Amino acid sequence: MSLPDMKKLRLFLLFLVPFVSVLVVNAQEADDSVTVENIKFDNNAGNDWVAINVEVKAKPGANTTGTSRNNSQYTDNVKVRLLIAYMRGGNTETIDYFTSEVELITMEKSKKYTIPFYMCGPVIKRERYNKEPYAYCVQIEVGGRVLTPTQKNVSSSLSTPERLQNFISKTMSESSKTDGTLIPVYDVPTGSFMKEAPAYRIRSKK
């Protein structure tokens, strides 16, 4: 190999090392203690409500993040947070952002759990939201640590880290405007899915 070729090789390796280091760090930081297995949308929940069913599972193993101190077959204190955006009547200039979360006291490892969230039907009808969301992401937090998302956690429109981070930032800053529209199953008022039922606002008890 000639001297110029050797110099080119050294330069290439100098550029390559930082990228390899980043990949190694990311691999070490990856945490799949709790994973999103599936996200299903049901547009026929009743009275125009939309159900978003998030299926999650805790990974087996005694040393996974959040493993219960009392029983290693369980993972404790898991937050499931849904971030989602809808366009109004197909108008890409007007996008509304929503977020809601639940906290699971404990999960039996290897067992799948379905976490239902609901979009308020009368609001969907009023704003003429598209049936398909503009974008969505499910964040999993275990023991105060937000786990790295996988392809199953996010919509195809958030295919790059930059798009995902921008979406999360936008949702967290804008979702206060739509508070109470996306709610977990335990906050859905009784009778909401009945025809012509009104939209109740759920306020936290103090």
Side-chain angles (χ1 to χ4, degrees):
M1 184 179 291
S2 65
L3 187 59
D5 288 337
M6 287 293 291
K7 288 182 177 179
K8 289 180 183 179
L9 179 59
R10 286 198 196 96
L11 287 173
F12 173 73
L13 291 174
L14 286 173
F15 273 101
L16 182 63
V17 168
F19 287 104
V20 172
S21 300
V22 169
L23 289 173
V24 170
V25 169
N26 286 341
Q28 291 174 340
E29 291 181 348
D31 189 336
D32 59 353
S33 299
V34 177
T35 57
V36 174
E37 297 296 303
N38 203 355
I39 302 173
K40 293 182 180 179
F41 290 82
D42 180 4
N43 295 308
N44 299 305
N47 196 28
D48 298 307
W49 285 69
V50 172
I52 303 115
N53 297 304
V54 180
E55 188 178 75
V56 296
K57 184 175 72 172
K59 180 182 178 180
N63 299 315
T64 57
T65 303
T67 294
S68 175
R69 294 180 180 179
N70 301 324
N71 188 333
S72 63
Q73 298 303 309
Y74 287 79
T75 297
D76 292 346
N77 306 320
V78 178
K79 289 185 179 180
V80 180
R81 184 179 301 115
L82 174 61
L83 299 83
I84 195 166
Y86 280 92
M87 290 190 300
R88 293 188 190 178
N91 181 2
T92 56
E93 299 299 320
T94 309
I95 300 172
D96 291 335
Y97 296 83
F98 310 83
T99 187
S100 182
E101 73 174 42
V102 299
E103 184 169 3
L104 309 183
I105 298 172
T106 193
M107 295 175 63
E108 185 177 352
K109 293 182 178 180
S110 298
K111 181 178 179 180
K112 293 181 180 180
Y113 293 84
T114 298
I115 316 298
F117 294 90
Y118 287 89
M119 278 286 294
C120 180
V123 174
I124 290 175
K125 188 174 182 180
R126 182 191 70 193
E127 303 298 342
R128 296 180 295 118
Y129 290 136
N130 290 356
K131 284 189 174 182
E132 295 297 323
Y134 172 76
Y136 61 84
C137 167
V138 175
Q139 290 183 322
I140 302 293
E141 184 177 322
V142 184
R145 178 182 180 184
V146 178
L147 305 188
T148 303
T150 68
Q151 288 184 341
K152 289 185 177 181
N153 293 54
V154 302
S155 59
S156 58
S157 56
L158 305 176
S159 57
T160 66
E162 293 77 16
R163 288 181 180 178
L164 176 59
Q165 187 55 54
N166 289 338
F167 173 73
I168 291 173
S169 299
K170 185 74 172 178
T171 302
M172 299 312 290
S173 65
E174 296 288 329
S175 58
S176 60
K177 300 175 184 177
T178 60
D179 186 44
T181 305
L182 175 66
I183 53 181
V185 61
Y186 52 75
D187 275 343
V188 177
T190 302
S192 293
F193 305 142
M194 295 173 61
K195 189 176 181 180
E196 306 303 334
Y200 300 99
R201 185 177 298 282
I202 304 298
R203 300 190 186 277
S204 59
K205 296 179 181 179
K206 296 182 179 179

